[in-house]
Amino acid sequence: MTRLLWFRRDLRLGDLPALLDAGADDAEVLACYVLDPRLTASAGPRREQFLYDSLRELRDALDGRLLVTRGRPDTRIPAVAKAVGATAVHISEEFTPFAQARDEKVAAALGDIPLEKSGSAYLVSPGRVTKDDGSPYKVFTPYFRRWRERGWRAPAKTGPKSARWIDPADVSGAGKNLDIPDPGTELPYPAGEKAARRRWKKFVDQGLEGYSADRNRPDLDATSRMSAYLHFGNIHPRTLAADLGTAEGPAAYLRELAFRDFYASVLAQWPRSAWWNFNSDFDAIEVDDDDESFTAWKEGRTGFPIVDAGMRQLSESGFMHNRVRMITASFLVKDLHLPWQWGAKWFLEQLLDGDIASNQHGWQWAAGCGTDAAPYFRVFNPDTQGKKFDPEQAYVRRWVPEFGTDEYPDPIVDHGAERAEALRRYNALS
């Protein structure tokens, strides 16, 4: 018996239910990854590098027995499955609109060969947390209560020895096994399963206890930096949850994992919300079309120190602290009056952890048009936020070295005036 294990956003061997099922009954398994041009074309250079480095580590962990091919999955996966004589293709289920459409086409192209879905990238997969009447949640707090009640499975016990792996060199007709590209892009931290587990252990040992108190401080190294590892599936959130207790720090961290599941569920249920207002009442809001202000925001030249620090951290490292993400997003939509979609697209292009569900719905929270939307009249004051969360200005000085000198620009807008203008526009919707 032979099966195909198609890796996607699950680039690891530990805690992988799809591997458990593929290797069952002593089956031989061919591990495969398809470089889809549609995805590599839309990924920024850092995400590409993270992907390729993760693939290299995965191939090494399999002693080279990973087939890497290029093309449309609905063409390549059936061809590889046929070449190896696979009786099934095993995958971790994905829920974005793109992934759902892709997998439907692959399943149709496979014909009689089943596409078996096992597990997902979430503690609780989209669609499994619902109200009593079966309808989906639109608000996080009641979702979170039901999510905790439902619970999740313990980590799956899998690893390199969970299957009898097939050497791609022994398979004819599967196509050339590609060399994994190495663009040479510098990453802020290493990719792969081993690096993910090392970083998580360090955070549990040194940062978890103080997470609740310090997680909003961008000047402190108080967050886990696990988001990119979760995005690429170098580690599963079950592995993280298994190390969380009931203290305040772990409870706050678990809540963030719940937000990740919630936004994935919202996108799966309302795929239109990827680029359109979840609350369609906001379709009528007045927005500006100012490329000059948008460029100043992207380049960190707004004259508002905490905003500029965040935007420069993003462009230089591919990461931005979550509190600063909220501040910079509020500034774009409520001080510059630009469409949230402009900012969301820029973040996706730049972020190493760019995730369509969390990114888009986080932006809509800031814009007031999403689920759990912040009250529209809440407009972050960037100066007040900076004083509160970067009190010694250590974060600002790290990313904006000219701050406090004549070289630093004056503010491009008057926050008080633009706050009033934002409120006028929001009030015009009612």
Side-chain angles (χ1 to χ4, degrees):
M1 184 182 300
T2 303
R3 297 179 180 132
L4 180 63
L5 178 58
W6 175 20
F7 286 92
R8 294 101 67 82
R9 281 181 53 187
D10 50 3
L11 302 179
R12 66 183 185 278
L13 294 176
D15 190 8
L16 185 59
L19 168 55
L20 200 65
D21 290 346
D25 305 317
D26 200 33
E28 290 189 297
V29 177
L30 177 64
C32 176
Y33 186 89
V34 181
L35 291 172
D36 187 337
R38 294 170 297 176
L39 290 178
T40 53
S42 62
R46 294 188 189 92
R47 277 215 302 281
E48 271 198 288
Q49 187 73 49
F50 203 98
L51 165 64
Y52 296 146
D53 288 355
S54 297
L55 286 174
R56 259 185 292 278
E57 188 197 69
L58 181 61
R59 180 178 271 177
D60 288 345
L62 292 171
D63 294 326
R65 292 169 296 183
L66 172 68
L67 174 65
V68 177
T69 183
R70 187 186 304 276
R72 291 282 292 259
D74 53 316
T75 300
R76 295 305 305 139
I77 289 299
V80 173
K82 181 179 179 181
V84 78
T87 57
V89 176
H90 288 264
I91 59 172
S92 300
E93 190 169 8
E94 295 185 14
F95 296 91
T96 66
F98 173 87
Q100 290 275 293
R102 175 199 60 199
D103 291 351
E104 287 176 6
K105 290 181 179 178
V106 171
L110 282 169
D112 294 336
I113 303 173
L115 184 65
E116 301 285 357
K117 302 173 182 178
S118 308
S120 73
Y122 305 100
L123 276 169
V124 184
S125 297
R128 295 188 178 182
V129 177
T130 61
K131 301 176 185 178
D132 290 339
D133 62 3
S135 61
Y137 285 99
K138 297 181 179 180
V139 178
F140 175 73
T141 299
Y143 170 91
F144 183 43
R145 286 195 294 265
R146 183 62 59 89
W147 179 86
R148 285 192 299 184
E149 291 170 0
R150 193 185 192 287
W152 45 86
R153 297 178 180 177
K157 296 180 179 179
T158 60
K161 297 181 179 180
S162 296
R164 293 194 296 131
W165 301 103
I166 297 171
D167 190 334
D170 297 334
V171 180
S172 60
K176 181 182 178 182
N177 193 2
L178 301 177
D179 292 332
I180 298 170
D182 186 359
T185 303
E186 184 177 354
L187 295 176
Y189 38 82
E193 184 174 8
K194 291 180 181 178
R197 288 181 176 270
R198 284 195 303 268
R199 178 170 286 273
W200 176 243
K201 184 179 185 305
K202 179 180 179 182
F203 177 70
V204 170
D205 292 343
Q206 302 177 15
L208 186 56
E209 183 178 351
Y211 176 76
S212 179
D214 296 334
R215 65 193 179 94
N216 278 307
R217 291 281 300 273
D219 57 329
L220 303 177
D221 185 17
T223 58
S224 69
R225 299 289 185 98
M226 294 301 297
S227 54
Y229 295 117
L230 288 168
H231 176 72
F232 285 92
N234 292 158
I235 197 167
H236 196 281
R238 274 190 306 261
T239 303
L240 278 54
D243 290 332
L244 299 176
T246 57
E248 188 175 358
Y253 196 92
L254 185 67
R255 193 170 186 270
E256 295 304 311
L257 294 178
F259 259 117
R260 183 172 178 269
D261 284 11
F262 174 63
Y263 283 147
S265 297
V266 170
L267 181 61
Q269 183 66 36
W270 294 281
R272 186 177 182 271
S273 67
W275 291 106
W276 293 88
N277 295 319
F278 183 83
N279 182 346
S280 59
D281 290 345
F282 284 76
D283 291 351
I285 196 165
E286 180 186 351
V287 294
D288 291 349
D289 184 6
D290 187 340
D291 288 333
E292 186 175 341
S293 293
F294 184 51
T295 299
W297 177 82
K298 289 192 296 183
E299 295 179 354
R301 296 185 291 100
T302 68
F304 290 85
I306 192 73
V307 173
D308 293 343
M311 298 309 297
R312 295 192 198 184
Q313 182 186 28
L314 176 64
S315 63
E316 293 178 33
S317 72
F319 178 81
M320 189 194 294
H321 188 279
N322 188 61
R323 166 58 56 171
V324 187
R325 295 188 197 198
M326 292 189 284
I327 297 169
T328 56
S330 177
F331 186 84
L332 182 82
V333 298
K334 293 178 178 176
D335 283 76
L336 301 183
H337 316 297
L338 297 176
W340 67 262
Q341 292 91 338
W342 288 20
K345 183 175 185 294
W346 179 249
F347 271 29
L348 282 178
E349 291 173 2
Q350 298 295 312
L351 283 170
L352 189 57
D353 62 12
D355 179 89
I356 190 76
S358 294
N359 186 68
Q360 309 306 84
H361 293 103
W363 269 94
Q364 293 200 53
W365 178 87
C369 60
T371 62
D372 279 289
Y376 69 84
F377 50 81
R378 181 183 184 184
V379 181
F380 280 5
N381 182 319
D383 292 330
T384 302
Q385 292 281 311
K387 291 175 182 176
K388 182 176 182 180
F389 297 112
D390 185 28
E392 304 300 324
Q393 299 178 322
Y395 175 73
V396 165
R397 293 183 186 282
R398 177 182 177 186
W399 295 104
V400 188
E402 77 274 23
F403 172 67
T405 72
D406 292 340
E407 296 179 12
Y408 188 64
D410 292 330
I412 61 173
V413 295
D414 180 305
H415 171 71
E418 301 310 331
R419 178 184 183 278
E421 173 61 14
L423 295 181
R424 183 194 67 79
R425 297 187 187 198
Y426 280 98
N427 285 320
L429 294 176
S430 57

